[in-house]
């Protein structure tokens, strides 16, 4: 349970004063940074054919996405732990700098290898932006007020997932695919400057040793899991199948690395990079499992819906992105609404319960899609799916942060996000295996005896389908719809398992103390959390002149009360 006692100052450094103005300025920098990282997971999808065609990388196009996702997954736990050990200001600035620099490098890449390299560097920065943004909010805002901040952050994550393909298509069709990366540069510079000025968070030295062995095994295990998932996923072509000995060796090595990681963390690490004792906390365990489940269902659905729309309606990549906007609206509405409601009521358990139920209903409804269905009906379906996800995403992060020691906010936040990323990778791989296997069989039947068309089951594209004569065109569209629709059933039981888990989520009273205040690193603007011996000048040197009077009066009252006792 979160510590809610008045802290003692642990060193001689002046306390940071968390005024409302400072909190909002920091929040703006965090939103910009988190949006950058989330957007780049999906923006290159629609631009991929143009990118790999221009840079001669068609045979290895999956690496453009894999390099980014792999780097993000690897560094998530590292940023969380290092932020707890040494403070979050410098890791956050490094993350923004890496991401912005890599965006410029990717935009100016002249070869496919250069692009993949810079995408990996982007991921090294992006993973820090996602984790540290959520952890810093927990540092500066008490849990009881955090919902109104976490809601927009959750909405932003969902918006980025939907708007990424839309922007990628717009840039590719009307400008240059390189703008998919260049667009990050001005936003990144603005976020860096804002963070440099406002993010006056304490840095400190830690005497605890770095868990080198745990980091090595975690990196190896995560890499193997993400690579195995990516290489068996559908991305225009499949790199490997499960009969390939190299893939089997990769899976075997990944299992061994996971086992070694568990042994090291439990028996040898003095300060584990990912403390497995966190899983003794039922709130952390349940919320993390829910995150894994939501990641699996959310990204699997988003991966294939644009392709289905392009096949069934004949729209281009940009238009298919526009058709996913109802999902974005659903995520925004419920994420922000639930955040405000949590702040007002202090109750949060009901939202993941209702959200997972709505998500399951949305997936069930999507099993009814057909090739000739109304786009209005389709919009209603994905709006429901988005509304369900918006109720869950940031609520479970809030539950985790509220249930752990303030000294482990970053570690717990990164662990929750890490397992959601792993869920997305594994879920997409499973879904794509099921979907593509069944689809190839149906397309083979459609094109049986039609060699004169110059098209076949293995090289179907939206452009090729639009040019097909009847009945082949209708046959391909029906094959996609009849394969995709029942595939959603595979995720309904998984989401229902999450719903059952949410029923057992213990609702811990939300703390009224920000993480930095609880750790003795800051004081609230009203003076709460300040040690009685703190001098007024130390507190007020960081506060705007308009706010100094109230704070000084509050501390004087505290002193008077202390002398009276």
């Amino acid at each position: 349970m979160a510590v809610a006692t008045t802290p003692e100052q642990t060193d001689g450094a002046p306390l940071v004063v968390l005024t409302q103005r400072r909190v909002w300025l920091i929040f703006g920098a965090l939103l910009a940074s988190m949006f950058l990282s989330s957007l780049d997971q999906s923006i290159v999808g629609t631009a991929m054919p143009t990118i790999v065609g221009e840079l001669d990388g068609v045979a290895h196009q999956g690496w453009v996405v894999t390099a980014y996702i792999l780097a993000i997954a690897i560094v998530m736990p590292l940023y969380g732990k290092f932020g707890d050990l040494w403070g979050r200001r410098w890791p956050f600035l490094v993350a923004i700098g890496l991401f912005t620099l890599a965006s410029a490098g990717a935009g100016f890449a002249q070869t496919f290898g250069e692009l993949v390299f810079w995408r990996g560097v982007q991921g090294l920065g992006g993973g820090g932006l996602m984790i540290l943004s959520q952890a810093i909010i927990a540092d500066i805002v008490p849990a009881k007020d955090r919902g109104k901040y976490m809601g927009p952050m959750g909405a932003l994550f969902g918006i980025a997932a939907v708007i990424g393909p839309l922007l990628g298509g717009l840039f590719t069709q009307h400008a240059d695919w390189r703008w998919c990366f260049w667009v990050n540069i001005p936003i990144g510079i603005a976020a860096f400057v804002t963070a440099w000025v406002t993010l006056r968070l304490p840095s400190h030295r830690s005497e605890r040793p770095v868990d080198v062995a745990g980091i090595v095994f975690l990196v190896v295990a995560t890499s193997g899991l993400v690579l195995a998932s990516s290489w068996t996923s559908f991305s225009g072509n499949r790199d490997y199948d499960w009969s390939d000995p190299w893939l089997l060796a990769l899976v075997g090595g990944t299992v061994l690395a996971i086992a070694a990681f568990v042994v090291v963390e439990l028996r040898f690490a003095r300060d584990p990079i990912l403390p497995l004792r966190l899983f003794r906390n039922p709130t952390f365990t349940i919320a993390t499992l829910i995150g894994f489940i939501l990641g699996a269902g959310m990204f699997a659905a988003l991966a294939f819906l644009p392709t289905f729309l392009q096949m069934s309606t004949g729209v281009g990549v940009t238009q298919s992105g526009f058709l996913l906007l109802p999902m974005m609206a659903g995520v925004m509405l419920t994420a922000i609404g639930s955040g405000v409601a949590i702040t007002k009521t202090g109750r949060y358990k009901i939202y993941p319960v209702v959200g997972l139920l709505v998500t399951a209903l949305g997936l069930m409804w999507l099993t009814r899609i057909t090739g000739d269905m109304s786009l209005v009906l389709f919009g209603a379906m994905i709006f429901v799916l988005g509304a369900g996800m918006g109720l869950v995403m940031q609520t479970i992060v809030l539950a985790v942060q509220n249930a752990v020691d303030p000294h482990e906010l970053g570690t717990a936040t990164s662990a929750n996000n890490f397992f959601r990323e792993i869920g997305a990778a594994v879920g997409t791989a499973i879904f794509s295996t099921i979907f593509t296997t069944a689809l190839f069989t149906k397309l083979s039947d459609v094109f049986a005896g039609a060699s004169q068309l110059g098209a076949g089951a293995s090289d179907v594209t939206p452009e090729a389908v639009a040019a097909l004569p009847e009945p082949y065109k209708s046959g391909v569209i029906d094959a996609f719809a009849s394969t995709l629709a029942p595939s959603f059933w595979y995720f309904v039981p998984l989401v229902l398992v999450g719903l059952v888990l949410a029923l057992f989520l213990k609702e811990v009273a939300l703390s009224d103390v920000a993480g930095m205040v609880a750790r003795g690193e800051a004081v609230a603007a009203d003076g709460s959390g300040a040690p009685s011996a703190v001098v007024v000048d130390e507190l007020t040197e960081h506060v705007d002149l308009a706010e100094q009077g109230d704070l000084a009066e509050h501390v004087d009252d505290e002193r008077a009360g202390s002398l009276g006792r």
Side-chain angles (χ1 to χ4, degrees):
M1 181 174 175
V3 177
T5 58
T6 302
E8 295 293 330
Q9 191 173 9
T10 57
D11 54 39
L15 293 175
V16 174
V17 182
L18 298 176
T19 66
Q20 189 61 51
R21 178 176 177 272
R22 169 171 284 180
V23 169
W24 281 114
L25 285 172
I26 294 175
F27 183 59
L30 299 183
L31 282 181
S33 304
M34 192 173 181
F35 180 71
L36 287 175
S37 178
S38 303
L39 185 68
D40 263 60
Q41 289 195 69
S42 58
I43 195 171
V44 300
T46 47
M48 186 77 75
T50 303
I51 294 174
V52 298
E54 183 173 323
L55 298 180
D56 297 323
V58 175
H60 305 288
Q61 61 180 299
W63 277 105
V64 176
V65 176
T66 300
Y68 187 76
I69 295 176
L70 176 59
I72 277 186
I74 286 173
V75 300
M76 272 186 173
L78 306 187
Y79 275 110
K81 184 66 175 182
F82 295 159
D84 286 341
L85 287 176
W86 303 319
R88 293 186 236 284
R89 171 178 165 81
W90 287 107
F92 190 75
L93 291 172
V94 168
I96 298 177
L98 276 176
F99 190 89
T100 306
L101 175 65
S103 295
F108 288 106
Q110 298 302 308
T111 67
F112 186 74
E114 288 180 18
L115 177 64
V116 171
F117 170 79
W118 286 115
R119 283 287 285 171
V121 177
Q122 265 193 317
L124 297 179
L129 297 181
M130 294 173 64
I131 295 305
L132 295 173
S133 294
Q134 295 177 342
I136 290 171
I137 282 295
D139 281 341
I140 63 176
V141 178
K144 68 180 181 63
D145 299 323
R146 207 173 297 153
K148 64 184 178 183
Y149 298 90
M150 298 292 278
M153 295 179 85
L156 201 66
F157 186 83
I159 291 168
V162 175
I163 205 173
L166 172 60
L167 287 178
L170 285 171
F171 288 140
T172 303
Q173 289 187 340
H174 302 291
D176 191 312
W177 62 264
R178 297 178 185 275
W179 279 104
C180 293
F181 305 107
W182 289 338
V183 70
N184 298 327
I185 299 174
I187 303 176
I189 292 174
F192 187 91
V193 172
T194 304
W196 180 272
V197 173
T198 65
L199 209 61
R200 297 294 182 181
L201 305 180
S203 298
H204 41 79
R205 295 180 180 180
S206 174
E207 301 300 325
R208 291 179 284 176
V210 176
D211 179 18
V212 177
I215 291 174
V216 170
F217 286 120
L218 179 64
V219 168
V220 173
T222 303
S223 301
L225 193 56
V226 172
L227 290 175
S229 301
S230 300
W231 287 345
T232 56
S233 297
F234 178 75
S235 58
N237 65 311
R238 294 170 65 103
D239 296 304
Y240 298 94
D241 60 45
W242 288 106
S243 64
D244 192 297
W246 289 106
L247 181 59
L248 295 177
L250 176 63
V251 172
T254 301
V255 172
L256 290 176
I258 293 173
F261 173 75
V262 172
V263 171
V264 166
E265 298 300 275
L266 289 178
R267 303 193 59 180
F268 299 105
R270 289 177 57 191
D271 188 24
I273 191 70
L274 182 60
L276 299 182
R277 58 180 164 72
L278 286 174
F279 288 96
R280 298 175 191 166
N281 183 324
T283 300
F284 173 85
T285 302
I286 290 174
T288 299
L289 288 173
I290 292 173
F292 178 91
I293 289 170
L294 192 68
M298 174 182 175
F299 284 97
L302 287 174
F304 290 90
L305 287 175
T307 302
F308 164 74
L309 288 170
Q310 292 173 43
M311 292 291 185
S312 63
T313 65
V315 299
V317 291
T318 303
Q319 289 83 355
S320 66
F322 276 117
L323 293 176
L324 291 178
L325 290 179
M327 178 182 286
M328 180 181 73
V331 171
M332 285 183 61
L333 179 67
T334 56
I336 296 174
S338 61
V340 172
I342 290 171
T343 299
K344 288 184 176 181
T345 65
R347 309 298 295 271
Y348 59 86
K349 177 179 177 178
I350 187 64
Y351 299 106
V353 172
V354 173
L356 287 163
L357 177 60
V358 173
T359 299
L361 292 174
L363 288 170
M364 291 180 189
W365 200 5
L366 282 170
T367 64
R368 309 298 297 175
I369 61 175
T370 61
D372 58 351
M373 69 181 300
S374 162
L375 290 180
V376 174
L377 179 59
F378 176 79
M381 290 178 173
I382 61 175
F383 175 85
V384 170
L385 183 65
M389 294 189 296
L391 288 170
V392 183
M393 285 191 294
Q394 292 305 307
T395 307
I396 59 174
V397 176
L398 173 63
V400 164
Q401 293 176 338
N402 186 62
V404 300
D405 187 280
H407 293 86
E408 293 186 320
L409 278 174
T411 301
T413 302
S414 65
N416 184 268
N417 282 266
F418 172 76
F419 284 103
R420 187 187 63 200
E421 286 290 317
I422 296 299
V426 173
T428 303
I430 294 173
F431 190 90
S432 64
T433 299
I434 295 169
F435 175 76
T436 55
T437 300
L439 178 63
F440 187 82
T441 300
K442 292 183 179 181
L443 290 178
S444 297
D445 293 338
V446 171
F447 289 108
S451 57
Q452 74 280 3
L453 293 176
S458 60
D459 57 357
V460 171
T461 64
E463 294 79 10
V465 172
L468 285 174
E470 293 292 352
Y472 299 104
K473 180 178 179 180
S474 297
V476 171
I477 293 173
D478 291 340
F480 264 86
S482 63
T483 305
L484 183 61
S487 297
F488 287 112
W489 280 115
Y490 290 97
F491 286 101
V492 172
L494 185 64
V495 174
L496 291 178
V497 169
L499 173 60
V500 173
L501 289 172
L503 294 174
F504 291 93
L505 184 66
K506 184 179 179 181
E507 191 165 53
V508 181
L510 293 176
S511 170
D512 59 357
V513 179
M516 285 173 58
V517 175
R519 295 194 300 269
E521 298 170 347
V523 58
D526 62 2
S528 60
S532 58
V534 171
V535 180
V536 175
D537 289 343
E538 287 184 333
L539 291 176
T540 58
E541 66 174 321
H542 298 293
V543 188
D544 292 336
L545 292 175
E547 297 167 317
Q548 287 184 6
D550 291 340
L551 179 59
E553 181 180 350
H554 175 87
V555 177
D556 284 339
D557 289 343
E558 288 287 308
R559 282 177 170 173
S562 178
L563 291 173
R565 290 189 294 272

